[in-house]
């Protein structure tokens, strides 16, 4: 069984930065893609950033150049560095482990999820 625990969310003003962390326990971590999703009220859950087992990265167009995903396999931890935050980034952010080594964008391609952490960006 894999458990994922996010931390680092909060309330910030537009233009600020936040760093989210997700610590994993349980079965091997390094062989799978990992992702950060977000879900705003009334909207579908969307992939914000993903990282493959080999370290390739994928970003949603809306966050390219502002967000950076990284992973530390030795610590079983992934990170999401979020810079230049905008009010439209407000959402609950979830980390998830993919079913495969490569990045896929659908939530159904991820089998383990954290509980979520709220990020609120005020204007």
């Amino acid at each position: 069984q894999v458990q994922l625990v996010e931390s680092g969310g909060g309330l910030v003003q537009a233009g600020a930065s936040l760093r989210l962390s997700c610590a994993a326990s349980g079965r091997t971590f390094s062989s799978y893609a990992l992702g950060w999703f977000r879900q705003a009220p009334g909207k579908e859950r969307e992939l914000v950033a993903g990282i493959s087992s080999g370290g390739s990265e994928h970003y949603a167009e809306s966050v390219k150049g502002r967000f950076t995903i990284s992973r530390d396999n030795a610590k079983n931890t992934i990170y999401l560095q979020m810079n230049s935050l905008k009010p439209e980034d407000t959402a609950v952010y979830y980390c998830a482990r993919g079913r495969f080594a490569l990045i896929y964008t659908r939530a159904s391609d991820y089998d383990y999820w954290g509980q979520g952490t709220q990020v609120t960006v005020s204007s």
Side-chain angles (χ1 to χ4, degrees), residues 1 4 10-11 19-20 27-29 32 35-36 46 52 54-55 62-63 70 72 77 84 87-88 98 105 108 113 121:
Q1 187 71 11
L4 303 173
L11 170 63
R19 188 192 196 204
L20 305 183
R27 305 175 81 179
T28 186
F29 179 83
Y32 300 92
W36 284 99
E46 63 170 346
S52 71
S62 59
V63 306
S70 60
D72 185 337
T77 301
S84 303
E88 51 263 43
T105 60
S108 58
W113 294 82
V121 184

Side-chain angles (χ1 to χ4, degrees), residues 59-108:
Y59 296 94
E61 285 295 327
S62 59
V63 306
K64 277 184 180 178
R66 300 189 297 123
F67 290 12
T68 303
I69 188 171
S70 60
R71 63 191 296 165
D72 185 337
N73 291 332
K75 295 182 178 179
N76 274 10
T77 301
I78 62 168
Y79 305 95
L80 185 67
Q81 178 67 43
M82 305 186 294
N83 299 328
S84 303
L85 282 161
K86 304 176 180 180
E88 51 263 43
D89 294 319
T90 296
V92 178
Y93 283 71
Y94 300 88
C95 64
R97 195 197 77 170
R99 300 180 188 274
F100 314 105
L102 299 179
I103 302 165
Y104 290 86
T105 60
R106 298 178 305 177
S108 58

Side-chain angles (χ1 to χ4, degrees), residues 3-74:
Q3 291 185 323
L4 303 173
V5 179
E6 301 100 336
S7 60
L11 170 63
V12 297
Q13 291 189 329
S17 297
L18 279 176
R19 188 192 196 204
L20 305 183
S21 300
C22 174
S25 61
R27 305 175 81 179
T28 186
F29 179 83
S30 62
S31 300
Y32 300 92
L34 302 162
W36 284 99
F37 285 76
R38 68 185 179 188
Q39 188 166 21
K43 294 189 176 181
E44 292 188 356
R45 192 170 295 192
E46 63 170 346
L47 180 68
V48 174
I51 186 166
S52 71
S53 64
S56 297
E57 301 168 20
H58 168 86
Y59 296 94
E61 285 295 327
S62 59
V63 306
K64 277 184 180 178
R66 300 189 297 123
F67 290 12
T68 303
I69 188 171
S70 60
R71 63 191 296 165
D72 185 337
N73 291 332

